[in-house]
Amino acid sequence: MRFRQYWPLVFIALYAVSPLAVAADAEPSLPKSDQTLGLPEIEVVEKKPRAIPLSATELEAESLRSHAMEMDTSRMLEEVPGLSVYSAGTISGLPAIHGLADERLRTQVDGMDLSSACPNHMNSILSYIHPSRVGKIKVFSGVVPVSEGGDSLGGTIQVSAASPVFATGEQPLVTGNLGSFYRSNGYAHGWNAAAGFASRQFNLQYSESRLDASNYRAAKDFKDLSRWPSADWIKATDLDVVASSAISGAINRALDLAFKQDSHLLQLGISQQTVGFEGFPNQRMDMTDNQNTNINFRYNGEFDWGDIQARLYRQRVKHAMDIGAERADQLMPMLSKATTVGGGLKLSIPFLTDHIFKLGSEFVSYRLDDWWPPVGSAVGSMCCNDFQNIRNGRRDRIGLFAEMDSHWGTAWQTSLGLRSDIVSTDASDVQGYSNTASYRNDVRSFNALSHDRRDHNWDWTALARYMPTQQATYELGLARKSRSPNLYERYPWATFSMAALMNNFVGDGNGYVGDVNLQPEVAHTLNLAMDWHDEAQSVWAAKINAYLTYISDYVDAKRCNSGRCSPANRTNNNAYVILQYANQSARLHGLDFSAYRVLNPEQKSWGEFRAKYLISYTRGENTTSGNDLYHIMPLNGRFSLEHAVGGWLSTAELQLVSAKTHVSAVRNETQTDGYGLLNLRTSYSRKHFRVDFAVENALNKLYYSPLGGAYLGQGDPMSLGTIPWGINLPGMGRSVNVAFNLFY
């Protein structure tokens, strides 16, 4: 199914929302449509220009209730223009903005800058907050103000729990909610509960959730028994079952305390996550345990001269991986532990009426140990010492920034910012499972190097916004953004294929070797955003965001040609290979279009009908090699018709994705066909309850997501040739979902 088959429908939809088509409509006196429908808000401009860029998107608590059946917090972001998600485990998707993903983004949970503590990035940052707890999401997808960026290239994602609510009188405020959901595909089920107590100055909230699911099923059989070296490995599950995609014992708990005195707010958050098992069908390992604890202290204060925001937090992670039972009859335990301590201070000082000066400092101190215990003498290559993948890893960052937001009359606004980050990384000497030839030379080569690296990075942003009328806004932004390599890019050292295959956080099935001498990435971005809407911002709106980014010292990959890497590894184009991270250069460009229109602004006897449109296109190229960049989402769109009447909200959504033909040759990335999915949803809500019902992939279409990666869920994961190359990870077949939530 090709995307171009649907372009006539797309053009009709675009005409329906265009300013020419709606110019003759009267402007009714309606409340904001997002408040009426309870749907994610499309960013529009207030009558007075705001400090955040036009390319930013904010989703508030009321609109996020429509995600009651969501298991993965990252999937709540898919309606944000320009944002897509790499497939991973059930709760561990990795967001990508304009082709830049994972740690190329600054991803914050309740203001905390966290990092994955896993060579496969299984414990993703957004997995640490359950969807039911999310109260607000803000995404900066274009030019990111320096006060919100730092050590990132593609953008900033800020996911936060709901703000504390205090009693307005002497009577205390008691709140609570209880919810559960069920998804037929994979028999996924879970529950969430929360309770709160608040006085005029004090707020206490406790929340807990749990999730379990079996393997999900594709729409049709996708496995070919003849392609597996041993049929026993594939017969363990049906031919339409995506093995190693289950999850069990995923529990999140959070305790939040808040104290308010006049214009001062103190908050203390303590959260804990436990995951007993999470399968990763596009990785060679499964997560067999993950224990995470966060402590987060925040202060917000308003004074006559300005505002203060202060933060101090600590995270501790214990993580374990191994070969799941559906893969092979052997073990390879892999353990890691990490600690993050961070904090920051930000001052906002208004002066001369129309200007705000922002000044701040941040620090993040990250410690990591990644080691693999020996299996025993029966497996010679994994005996008899701990394999030290990263030993005493350290990554420290200190940042300073200054920013000026200015209003120049009613039509113009500017934002200028400068930022400096110093990033230091280091790691100790390592050892292999043994001193045999499999590891000896690599160990000697790595230990002979100096591992300490210090990067001094500079960022700046310049943004100008022009609003000639109340119906149109134009914005031009320029930015320089920097990111230093993470520990898993600099310090994995083994070229032995079994060990290298365990270092992979992109889901392509290949093995990766680090490079201590990697330089920081530097991106220069030009961003143009245009926004049109009716004056009341209640009938129609349309936004276009176009961007061009050039990245020097882009951390891409090259074929490994040293150590234990074989000569065939350099030229093989139809197999999994061993790669080494390398600085090269890259260019990305693209466009996002988002819009909505109320179709019956004057006649609402049958409720309100609304059309919504979202189209994104990204093109990424490695300008050093002439190769295409890996995991770039092709042209895609979401088109929906929504109907709201009384407490009912119903949606029919068509998701269209073009064929992915631009693929990374160095990684032997495979192409995917275009496809279309139909999703149907309805909900009924009242003050104290909400019921949701949905049929996802209603036509049961077999498809392969362009960001799904390779299917590695079955077979021996420890060798290059024992899992057949060229099988993409299929998406989920039809699923009937239901959720029920009570509020007090």
Side-chain angles (χ1 to χ4, degrees):
M1 185 179 296
R2 298 282 179 172
F3 199 177
R4 61 174 178 266
Q5 296 174 335
Y6 296 95
W7 276 117
L9 296 176
V10 175
F11 284 127
I12 293 172
L14 296 182
Y15 172 77
V17 78
S18 69
L20 292 176
V22 299
D25 289 344
E27 295 183 0
S29 177
L30 294 173
K32 266 196 171 184
S33 52
D34 287 312
Q35 296 172 357
T36 303
L37 294 176
L39 295 169
E41 179 180 348
I42 294 180
E43 182 75 14
V44 292
V45 179
E46 297 174 351
K47 294 183 178 180
K48 183 177 180 180
R50 294 181 293 176
I52 67 172
L54 277 180
S55 56
T57 302
E58 292 181 89
L59 308 178
E60 300 290 347
E62 186 63 29
S63 66
L64 294 171
R65 287 190 177 185
S66 61
H67 295 273
M69 293 173 284
E70 196 57 74
M71 298 184 289
D72 185 353
T73 298
S74 69
R75 297 292 175 180
M76 303 173 74
L77 306 172
E78 289 185 312
E79 294 181 22
V80 174
L83 195 147
S84 52
V85 178
Y86 284 18
S87 298
T90 303
I91 63 172
S92 303
L94 300 172
I97 297 176
H98 297 161
L100 300 172
D102 201 3
E103 293 194 353
R104 286 193 171 101
L105 308 178
R106 185 181 187 185
T107 305
Q108 297 176 298
V109 174
D110 284 332
M112 296 181 289
D113 289 290
L114 307 176
S115 298
S116 293
C118 169
N120 300 153
H121 283 194
M122 291 180 175
N123 41 24
S124 61
I125 298 169
L126 292 183
S127 69
Y128 292 133
I129 181 168
H130 188 267
S132 64
R133 189 167 169 262
V134 176
K136 184 175 182 179
I137 294 175
K138 184 181 290 187
V139 179
F140 296 87
S141 58
V143 170
V144 182
V146 295
S147 58
E148 309 294 346
D151 199 30
S152 61
L153 300 183
T156 296
I157 299 172
Q158 299 171 345
V159 179
S160 306
S163 300
V165 178
F166 298 89
T168 57
E170 297 301 324
Q171 189 71 18
L173 177 66
V174 179
T175 59
N177 71 271
L178 178 64
S180 65
F181 77 92
Y182 174 78
R183 301 170 67 100
S184 65
N185 197 321
Y187 308 108
H189 58 279
W191 56 265
N192 58 273
F197 174 86
S199 65
R200 297 179 65 176
Q201 295 180 313
F202 178 75
N203 180 288
L204 173 65
Q205 296 282 335
Y206 177 78
S207 63
E208 185 169 334
S209 61
R210 177 169 179 133
L211 167 67
D212 296 276
S214 301
N215 293 330
Y216 74 83
R217 291 180 179 267
K220 299 177 182 178
D221 295 348
F222 69 95
K223 305 172 191 174
D224 183 355
L225 291 179
S226 65
R227 297 193 62 185
W228 260 262
S230 171
D232 293 337
W233 294 338
I234 196 63
K235 290 179 180 177
T237 60
D238 294 336
L239 298 182
D240 64 342
V241 170
V242 178
S244 303
S245 62
I247 189 170
S248 62
I251 302 173
N252 286 62
R253 301 182 178 93
L255 177 66
D256 295 284
L257 298 92
F259 179 78
K260 182 182 72 170
Q261 179 66 43
D262 298 327
S263 57
H264 305 276
L265 177 65
L266 289 170
Q267 293 177 265
L268 176 63
I270 303 173
S271 61
Q272 187 179 62
Q273 183 207 63
T274 300
V275 179
F277 175 87
E278 184 179 7
F280 285 76
N282 62 356
Q283 294 287 359
R284 293 175 178 269
M285 290 280 128
D286 295 314
M287 187 166 73
T288 55
D289 187 44
N290 198 77
Q291 307 286 331
N292 175 78
T293 302
N294 299 327
I295 301 175
N296 187 13
F297 173 79
R298 290 159 284 176
Y299 166 73
N300 293 318
E302 298 179 5
F303 299 86
D304 293 338
W305 50 266
D307 303 336
I308 292 181
Q309 297 180 25
R311 183 182 314 277
L312 184 65
Y313 59 89
R314 183 179 188 271
Q315 179 198 35
R316 186 175 182 182
V317 180
K318 291 184 177 181
H319 173 73
M321 297 191 300
D322 210 331
I323 300 174
E326 294 174 319
R327 298 180 185 267
D329 294 329
Q330 58 189 98
L331 298 175
M332 185 182 175
M334 301 169 63
L335 305 176
S336 58
K337 63 179 180 180
T339 301
T340 301
V341 177
L345 179 68
K346 182 189 296 186
L347 307 179
S348 298
I349 306 171
F351 68 98
L352 298 178
T353 307
D354 294 322
H355 306 273
I356 298 178
F357 180 65
K358 298 178 182 178
L359 182 68
S361 177
E362 300 167 344
F363 78 94
V364 180
S365 180
Y366 176 64
R367 299 292 182 269
L368 170 71
D369 276 292
D370 186 322
W371 74 101
W372 311 343
V375 174
S377 58
V379 185
S381 63
M382 294 190 292
C383 177
C384 297
N385 303 317
D386 285 344
F387 180 101
Q388 295 168 339
N389 193 38
I390 296 179
R391 179 168 170 255
N392 296 329
R394 175 179 65 84
R395 192 178 194 273
D396 296 325
R397 175 170 66 89
I398 299 177
L400 297 170
F401 64 84
E403 189 172 272
M404 177 74 74
D405 296 332
S406 302
H407 297 268
W408 308 97
T410 59
W412 284 94
Q413 177 187 356
T414 60
S415 178
L416 301 173
L418 180 65
R419 181 184 183 102
S420 173
D421 287 276
I422 298 176
V423 182
S424 301
T425 67
D426 200 0
S428 298
D429 290 348
V430 297
Q431 68 179 21
Y433 283 114
S434 65
N435 196 35
T436 61
S438 298
Y439 313 106
R440 181 175 57 245
N441 292 336
D442 285 343
V443 167
R444 290 176 178 175
S445 297
F446 181 84
N447 290 345
L449 297 172
S450 172
H451 306 147
D452 187 15
R453 295 294 182 269
R454 183 181 179 91
D455 306 322
H456 194 176
N457 300 330
W458 291 93
D459 293 2
W460 56 261
T461 59
L463 183 147
R465 176 182 298 179
Y466 176 55
M467 191 170 70
T469 69
Q470 295 294 334
Q471 293 83 36
T473 304
Y474 306 93
E475 186 175 86
L476 180 67
L478 295 169
R480 182 189 197 269
K481 295 179 283 187
S482 307
R483 182 193 76 99
S484 289
N486 62 43
L487 299 184
Y488 282 112
E489 291 168 325
R490 273 187 170 155
Y491 296 118
W493 50 271
T495 60
F496 182 46
S497 61
M498 182 272 291
L501 288 169
M502 303 300 111
N503 285 284
N504 182 318
F505 48 80
V506 294
D508 62 2
N510 299 311
Y512 285 83
V513 182
D515 183 352
V516 174
N517 295 312
L518 286 176
Q519 298 299 306
E521 299 175 313
V522 178
H524 290 86
T525 297
L526 170 66
N527 196 93
L528 175 64
M530 297 167 282
D531 183 284
W532 303 276
H533 50 79
D534 66 287
E535 187 170 350
Q537 302 182 25
S538 59
V539 178
W540 65 273
K543 181 193 293 185
I544 294 176
N545 184 61
Y547 55 90
L548 171 65
T549 297
Y550 178 80
I551 306 173
S552 59
D553 288 319
Y554 180 81
V555 178
D556 208 332
K558 65 179 182 180
R559 295 292 176 92
C560 175
N561 59 5
S562 62
R564 299 267 300 181
C565 295
S566 67
N569 182 74
R570 307 171 195 175
T571 58
N572 204 332
N573 59 8
N574 60 355
Y576 297 118
V577 294
I578 305 302
L579 303 166
Q580 184 170 28
Y581 293 111
N583 285 122
Q584 298 177 332
S585 58
R587 181 176 60 242
L588 298 107
H589 64 274
L591 182 143
D592 305 320
F593 173 82
S594 58
Y596 73 85
R597 186 194 176 193
V598 177
L599 302 178
N600 60 333
E602 296 180 325
Q603 302 295 328
K604 295 196 174 183
S605 57
W606 292 88
E608 181 175 276
F609 291 88
R610 169 187 286 201
K612 293 180 66 177
Y613 320 88
L614 178 63
I615 301 173
S616 295
Y617 173 75
T618 299
R619 180 80 168 89
E621 302 165 275
N622 183 313
T623 56
T624 299
S625 65
N627 199 357
D628 294 308
L629 295 185
Y630 176 71
H631 251 14
I632 300 297
M633 189 71 176
L635 179 66
N636 65 96
R638 292 174 182 263
F639 309 93
S640 61
L641 177 64
E642 299 167 347
H643 176 234
V645 59
W648 287 97
L649 171 63
S650 301
T651 303
E653 177 190 71
L654 182 63
Q655 180 183 354
L656 303 177
V657 179
S658 182
K660 183 176 71 171
T661 57
H662 297 289
V663 294
S664 172
V666 70
R667 289 177 165 87
N668 289 340
E669 183 183 12
T670 52
Q671 299 183 0
T672 57
D673 293 331
Y675 58 88
L677 304 178
L678 177 65
N679 303 311
L680 304 173
R681 306 182 186 97
T682 189
S683 66
Y684 181 76
S685 59
R686 278 291 182 255
K687 180 179 180 180
H688 294 298
F689 73 93
R690 177 183 174 113
V691 179
D692 290 84
F693 179 81
V695 182
E696 296 182 354
N697 193 1
L699 303 180
N700 204 32
K701 171 69 176 178
L702 177 64
Y703 71 99
Y704 299 90
S705 169
L707 305 185
Y711 179 61
L712 307 169
Q714 292 169 272
D716 181 2
M718 299 173 63
S719 300
L720 282 170
T722 51
I723 297 177
W725 172 87
I727 301 177
N728 292 311
L729 178 68
M732 186 178 292
R734 181 189 297 117
S735 183
V736 179
N737 311 328
V738 63
F740 183 75
N741 283 273
L742 294 173
F743 308 98
Y744 177 76

